[in-house]
Structure formats: structure tokens, C-alpha cells
Amino acid sequence: MGTSTILPDLGTEIVIPVCAVIGILFSLIQWCLVAKIKLSPEKPFAGGGRHGYAESLIEEEEGVNDHTVVRKCAEIQNAIAEGATSFLFTEYQYVSVFMAVFAVLIFVFLGSIEGFSTSDQQCTYDSSKLCKPALATAIFSTISFLLGGITSVISGYLGMKIATYANARTTLEARKGVGKAFIVAFRSGAVMGFLLAANGLLVLYITINLFKLYYGDDWEGLFEAITGYGLGGSSMALFGRVGGGIYTKAADVGADLVGKVERNIPEDDPRNPAVIADNVGDNVGDIAGMGSDLFGSYAESSCAALVVASISSFGNNHDFTSMMYPLLVSSIGILVCLLTTLFATDFFEIKTVKEIEPALKYQLIISTILMTMGIALVSWVALPPSFTIFNFGIQKEVRNWQLFLCVSVGLWAGLIIGFVTEYFTSNAYSPVQDVADSCRTGAATNVIFGLALGYKSCIIPIFAIAISIYVSFTFAAMYGVAVAALGMLSTIATGLAIDAYGPISDNAGGIAEMAGMSHRIRERTDALDAAGNTTAAIGKGFAIGSAALVSLALFGAFVSRAEIITVDVLTPKVFIGLLVGAMLPYWFSAMTMRSVGSAALKMVEEVRRQFNTIPGLMEGTTKPDYATCVQISTDASIQEMIPPGALVMLTPLIVGIFFGVETLSGLLAGSLISGVQIAISASNTGGAWDNAKKYIEAGASEHARTLGPKGSDPHKAAVIGDTVGDPLKDTSGPSLNILIKLMAVESLVFAPFFATHGGLLFKFF
């Protein structure tokens, strides 16, 4: 057994923080480039062309006053930014109370295992050694939980800030051509992607090193305490995703139903009272929520891998470089994504609308190919040629090339899931065109076709996840599954850049419409937005796929930590857990869908009231009262996010305490299996309906023109489908992947308590 690695420990201690800092610096450079576009009406800068020629603005040919347009854009952007900031602050106030309560719970539960004693105890996995007391793990788990939560909040908040900063700038650049607008939107997405990936890595690395000062050689206790980081990240993501999702969809459904269906005014028309709330929603739901969500996945897969490694030969031999393998993979990921981003912004220039979607797809392909080489390099220098991995009580021998295959299989499975999602949700392919075609016979057939499409779209992603689980588990047990999840998330910076690009272009289109810009500009922003819709679906596919792998890895770590030898489905304790677990995603979806419905109801009533009572609103002579609509969305989402959040956070605690670890293991497996299916089908159904509507509106092909124009019966049917799909694709679907991860990581954090004191009901019967 050779334990030496090519990369010395000192090298690891330099590489990880340096890569993180490079990521942060790169995002700041991108921010500065976006900031160069001014939102104050000045003389258009003549020598601004990339090749030195002056760029003509379309507006000047048409003689529209430039100053008023820029001023209007700036005003609208301010309104959106204010709405988003005030919502997030309100949300964070509520969530901070929850964080405080939960931090106390972690401390009390974990500290009480040994009766709050401060003397050293026997190690769980090696009883010949002494480990730090349970009280220390309780204190440090609580600290890492709070750190994870704070990092998650900061990630979401910064993402929202850059998005609301860039939306109007994208609109203004669209006057110079679609390529310029694309670069601004994409750069802004990159700011968020790199800040998040680098922050997550840096905070985790610093935390590990600080905890090491106390834990010393007790790595088992150290990495057990680190799992709190993943729990903090994901619990914040849950509230961000659910709260933001309810907010954005209440506004969207309200704006669409009254504006487009009843009043026949275009989308994002400034006469529509809900239009600002709708644009705010894109930022708090799709950007702040998505950011926290992927950060949570990233933190949890790192934690799961570290926990398993700490009880394998890496941890037993105190081999720091191999132990940090998951973090080294993420570090290389930042450098790979940095190179990939330059392909979209600097190496190639987009000139026509047709080049937008391929450019985004190439981002995924290039980053995956480069990352495969990066993983090979890390596996070669950071792992000994052969080592052992803990596998449910026995040590399994693994070679370094096998671990390389585990990470790669996750990485490529992510790409496959991304492309399958794209095939089912992009209007360039037959599935969405069939859904659009079914609108000829009304909304009912549209809904039937859309649901069928969603169910069918589960098939290939599930096979991809299944194969990657089988391969990675066969090679390296649960550690393999954890690093496969990390592989899928290793290109997180690029994935997030593509994902944040969508809502930014969506907002840019809304601002163009509200500022009264020409239809040619609206066509450009629409083209950016349609590509963004598909990429958002790809991002959701990644998030769901990685959530499935992450929660399986956490499940494995939980089973090891709770000292369960086998999980036997035929024992009644486990089977009832499976059944209830499989039901939870439905219960959770029911809550979130109802919340969107009731919030949308209030919104529809308010929008109708304004159209009916404010004189001159339809004629465009008076302004609507945007603030009331923003307030309705804020209040509704804050109230409604608490019950679903409580369901997810309390279920593992109640089951673990009253029914014990066997039932809890069944519950986790059940929720994972049913949650993934519902999440994939909900996201893709919603995405397909949305793009079927856009396909009819754009009228780009002969087929689409037979269904249109806007306001035709097929178009109205498509709008209804889109409205039904909104809560599916933006509230229930994306929140479900947090449900399955969060229950697993929470069970892992509380595993020591459940193993000693859990199962109260079965003790009496």
C-alpha cells in the first residue's frame, strides 16, 4: 500500500486557496467589464467597437430620443432592484430566526449524547483510539451550520445584486446588436457563478483548517463536525427556493392571466400592475434561489465525500492531500470554467440570433471535456496509486484510476441529463413542437401532451443516474458516489453562469418593453430569453441529477454513522419508512402548488381591481400602482414558505427520535426515489409549455405561423398551459431536489443522536 502522493501537503495548502482567490478575482474583473456600460444618458461612446469602428444604435436610425430611453431603463432597473432587495431582507429576517432555533437544536441534541461531558470518548469506528468529546462535535457542528447558512445567503444575495445590476445594461447593449447584449448577460452570469463556486470552496477550506487546530489528529470528529456546513447551506436554499419560487410565480401567473388572456396586452406591458413584481420574481426565485440551491449541493457533496474519506485509509493515515481530493477537484473546476467562459466572451463573437443557443451548449461541452482532463491530473497527483475506502464496516481496496472514473462518470452523466432536458424543453425539437401543435384543439390537449412529455423525459436521466451510481459504487463504494456528485458539480461556475443568464435576459426583455423600445430590440431580447429558458431547464436538470447522487452519498454516510449494518426492505420498520418517504415529495408539492395558487389568486384580484378602478390605465395615461403588487407577492411568499420548510426540516427529526434509524433510512430512500421522478417531470413539463408558447409567439417557422399570431385561439391555449406549468417548473420541481438532499444531510448531522437515543416508540412496544 503506497500512501505517498505526487503533490505534497504544502502544495495542497497553496493550490486550493489560490484557485478560490483566482475565481473571486475573475468574477470581479467580469463585474468591472459589465459596469463600464453607463446607465446615465451621455453621448454614445464612438470608438467603442471591438475593432475600433463606431457602433450605430438602431434607435438613432428610427429617431427615438436616446436620453429618455436610457433614463427610463435606469428607473425600471431601480424599481426591480429595490423590490428584490426588500424581499430578500424580509426573507432573511424570518430565516435567521429559524437558523438560530435550529442551531440550538443541533447543539442540544448532539451535546446530550454523552450527557454534555467534556472528557474524551472512544472513537466510533476504531475503539482502540480516543476521540474528542461529543460536546465538541456539537459546538463545531453548530458553528459550521451557521457558516454554511451565511455563505448560502451571501451567495444568493450577491447573485441577485449582479442580476439586477446587469438587466438594464443588457437592454441598452441590445441596441448595438444581439452579440453585445449576449456578452453582458453572460458576463453577469459568470460573476455569480465564479463568486459562488470560489466562496463555497474558500469558506469550507478555511473552516476545515481552523477546526483542525482543535481536533488535531481526530479527523473522524473533525469531518463529522464539518457536515453542519452542508446542512446550513441547504436549509437556507430551501427557504430561498420555496419563498422565491412562490414570489415569482404568484406575480407571473397574475400578470399573465389578467394581462394576456383577459386584457389582450403584451407580456411585460407597463400598463400591467404586476409587471414589476414579475421581473423582481425572476431575480429572487431563479437567481437567488438557484444560487443557494447549487451552493447547497456543492457543500453537501463535499461533506459526504469528506466524512467517508475520514474513516478510510486517507483519514487513518492522516494523508492531507488525498483527504482534500474533493476540494482539489473543485479547485481545478474553477480554473477549467474560467477558460471555458473566455470561449463565450472573448475568443468567439456572436453575430446572429442563431448562434446564441449553440454558444451556450458549447460552454457545457467544452467545460466537460476540459474538466475530464483536469480530473485525470488531480487523480494522478493527489491520490496514492492504491488505498482503501470504508464500505459499511469493511475497507475496500481502490486504485486511483478507479476514482478518476467515478468523478468522470458523474461529470458526463450531468452532460447527458443536460442535453436530454434540452431536447425535451427547447422549441427547436419535435417534443415541444408537438405540444405547440396540440394547442390547435384547445388548452386541454395542450395540458395532456405536456404532462406526457414530462413523464417521458424522466427515462434517460434516470438511466444516466442509475448507471453512474452503479459504476461509482462498484469502484469505490459510497465515496465513489459522493465524488460522482462532485464531478457533476465540478463545472458549477459555468453551469451557474448559463443559468443566471436566463433570468437576466428575461428581465432585459421586460425592461425593453416597459421603456417603449422598438420591436426590433424586443425581438433580440426575446431571442436571448428563449435560449435562456432552455438553459434554465438544463440547469435544473443538473441540479436534480446532482441532488440524487448527493443524497445517495449522504444516505450512505448516514447508514455508516448510525451503525446500521444492512437496510433490509422486508423488515416492517424499513418498509413503512419507504412508503412514507415516497409520499413526502407529493405532500411537499401539494403545499407549494397551493401556495402559488392562493398567492396568484390575490394577485389576479388586485390586478383586476386596478384595471377596473384606475381611470386611464388601459389608455396608458396613468401609471398603475406597482408597489401594492410587489407587497402582495412578498407577504404571500413569506407566509407560505414556512409550512413546506417545516415539513422538510421536522420530518427527519420526528422519525429519527420516535421511530429510530432503520425507519429513517427507509424514509430517505423513499423520498429520494419518488422525489427525483417528480422533480424531473415537473421541471420539463413546465419548461416545454413555456417554450411551446414562445414557439407560437415567435412565428419563426411555417408550422408556428399556422398556430399564431399572438391572441389566436391556439396561442391562448398555449398561455394557459404555460401558466399551469409555471409553479411546476419554478416552485415545486426545483424545490424537490432540496427536499431530498436536505433530509439526508440533516439525518447525517443528527445520526449520532438518533443512534444512541432514537426509536422511542419501538423501545416501548
Side-chain angles (χ1 to χ4, degrees), residues 420-460:
V420 171
T421 311
E422 193 236 2
Y423 173 71
F424 278 104
T425 55
S426 164
N427 51 28
Y429 303 106
S430 60
V432 169
Q433 292 172 7
D434 291 346
V435 171
D437 194 60
S438 71
C439 294
R440 289 174 196 279
T441 46
T445 39
N446 179 24
V447 170
I448 293 168
F449 269 73
L451 287 172
L453 176 144
Y455 298 150
K456 191 178 170 189
S457 70
C458 292
I459 301 169
I460 299 173

Side-chain angles (χ1 to χ4, degrees), residues 11-27:
T12 309
E13 284 165 19
I14 294 168
V15 168
I16 296 176
V18 164
C19 288
V21 170
I22 290 174
I24 292 171
L25 289 176
F26 181 70
S27 65

Side-chain angles (χ1 to χ4, degrees), residues 588-651:
F588 180 80
S589 300
M591 283 179 160
T592 48
M593 300 275 284
R594 247 195 96 83
S595 303
V596 171
S598 61
L601 201 70
K602 290 177 193 154
M603 187 64 83
V604 168
E605 283 167 359
E606 173 59 27
V607 175
R608 276 183 190 153
R609 184 194 68 77
Q610 293 200 24
F611 274 125
N612 294 334
T613 58
I614 299 178
L617 183 55
M618 271 307 279
E619 294 72 41
T621 47
T622 47
K623 280 177 90 171
D625 174 11
Y626 297 127
T628 312
C629 290
V630 172
Q631 198 53 47
I632 286 177
S633 257
T634 305
D635 294 345
S637 53
I638 298 288
Q639 283 165 5
E640 303 278 0
M641 75 180 181
I642 294 167
L647 173 74
V648 178
M649 299 301 287
L650 295 177
T651 305

Side-chain angles (χ1 to χ4, degrees), residues 83 114 144 368 389 396 415 432 466 709:
E114 299 288 324
S144 59
T368 304
I389 293 288
K396 175 186 172 80
L415 187 69
V432 169

Side-chain angles (χ1 to χ4, degrees), residues 67-407:
H67 292 266
T68 52
V69 168
V70 178
R71 198 173 297 117
K72 257 188 178 168
C73 282
E75 275 172 25
I76 297 163
Q77 184 211 12
N78 274 337
I80 294 174
E82 272 172 30
T85 312
S86 77
F87 169 72
L88 285 182
F89 273 117
T90 318
E91 180 183 70
Y92 294 154
Q93 281 165 3
Y94 279 82
V95 175
S96 58
V97 175
F98 156 81
M99 292 289 280
V101 173
F102 214 77
V104 173
L105 274 185
I106 294 177
F107 176 70
V108 172
F109 277 14
L110 294 182
S112 66
I113 297 171
E114 299 288 324
F116 295 103
S117 81
T118 49
S119 54
D120 285 0
Q121 56 178 15
Q122 279 188 350
C123 295
T124 315
Y125 298 101
D126 183 357
S127 46
S128 62
K129 291 187 192 149
L130 277 181
C131 284
K132 297 286 188 228
L135 186 64
T137 306
I139 294 169
F140 284 108
S141 293
T142 310
I143 294 171
S144 59
F145 168 73
L146 292 171
L147 275 174
I150 291 163
T151 314
S152 183
V153 166
I154 291 172
S155 308
Y157 181 73
L158 288 175
M160 183 280 302
K161 268 295 188 224
I162 174 69
T164 51
Y165 184 81
N167 49 20
R169 288 172 166 77
T170 307
T171 312
L172 292 178
E173 285 292 278
R175 297 178 304 172
K176 299 175 188 167
V178 76
K180 297 278 178 227
F182 171 80
I183 287 179
V184 176
F186 191 78
R187 280 213 161 111
S188 321
V191 175
M192 173 181 179
F194 282 93
L195 268 182
L196 196 132
N199 268 341
L201 179 65
L202 196 59
V203 176
L204 182 58
Y205 180 72
I206 293 170
T207 312
I208 291 172
N209 279 321
L210 291 178
F211 283 14
K212 225 164 88 186
L213 298 177
Y214 169 79
Y215 276 101
D217 280 347
D218 173 18
W219 283 17
E220 184 191 300
L222 163 64
F223 290 103
E224 196 171 293
I226 288 288
T227 49
Y229 185 70
L231 177 61
S234 246
S235 47
M236 288 307 296
L238 174 73
F239 290 108
R241 244 321 181 194
V242 175
I246 293 169
Y247 185 106
T248 175
K249 289 305 116 180
D252 197 355
V253 172
D256 283 359
L257 282 181
V258 184
K260 286 200 282 198
V261 179
E262 291 178 11
R263 296 278 169 171
N264 261 337
I265 57 177
E267 189 160 3
D268 294 318
D269 190 295
R271 293 171 291 180
N272 193 333
V275 67
I276 294 281
D278 185 4
N279 281 298
V280 169
D282 291 334
N283 293 298
V284 295
D286 295 347
I287 295 218
M290 188 71 191
S292 297
D293 179 2
L294 280 176
F295 165 76
S297 276
Y298 167 77
E300 283 162 342
S301 53
S302 306
C303 291
L306 291 168
V307 168
V308 180
S310 69
I311 50 181
S312 304
S313 64
F314 301 158
N316 299 338
N317 304 337
H318 294 95
D319 182 353
F320 186 69
T321 300
S322 328
M323 191 66 214
M324 290 293 118
Y325 178 71
L327 298 186
L328 285 164
V329 170
S330 308
S331 310
I332 297 296
I334 290 178
L335 302 183
V336 164
C337 292
L338 197 153
L339 252 178
T340 313
T341 304
L342 296 177
F343 275 99
T345 55
D346 296 82
F347 299 156
F348 299 107
E349 200 173 354
I350 287 183
K351 294 193 173 62
T352 61
V353 168
K354 283 194 181 66
E355 294 169 19
I356 302 170
E357 218 164 290
L360 292 167
K361 272 197 274 187
Y362 287 140
Q363 285 289 300
L364 288 174
I365 297 169
I366 294 167
S367 63
T368 304
I369 293 170
L370 290 176
M371 192 61 211
T372 310
M373 297 182 232
I375 299 164
L377 177 73
V378 174
S379 307
W380 179 54
V381 299
L383 293 172
S386 115
F387 44 89
T388 64
I389 293 288
F390 183 83
N391 178 20
F392 300 124
I394 48 171
Q395 295 282 354
K396 175 186 172 80
E397 191 164 327
V398 182
R399 310 192 77 79
N400 57 3
W401 60 267
Q402 291 176 311
L403 216 46
F404 157 69
L405 285 178
C406 292
V407 186

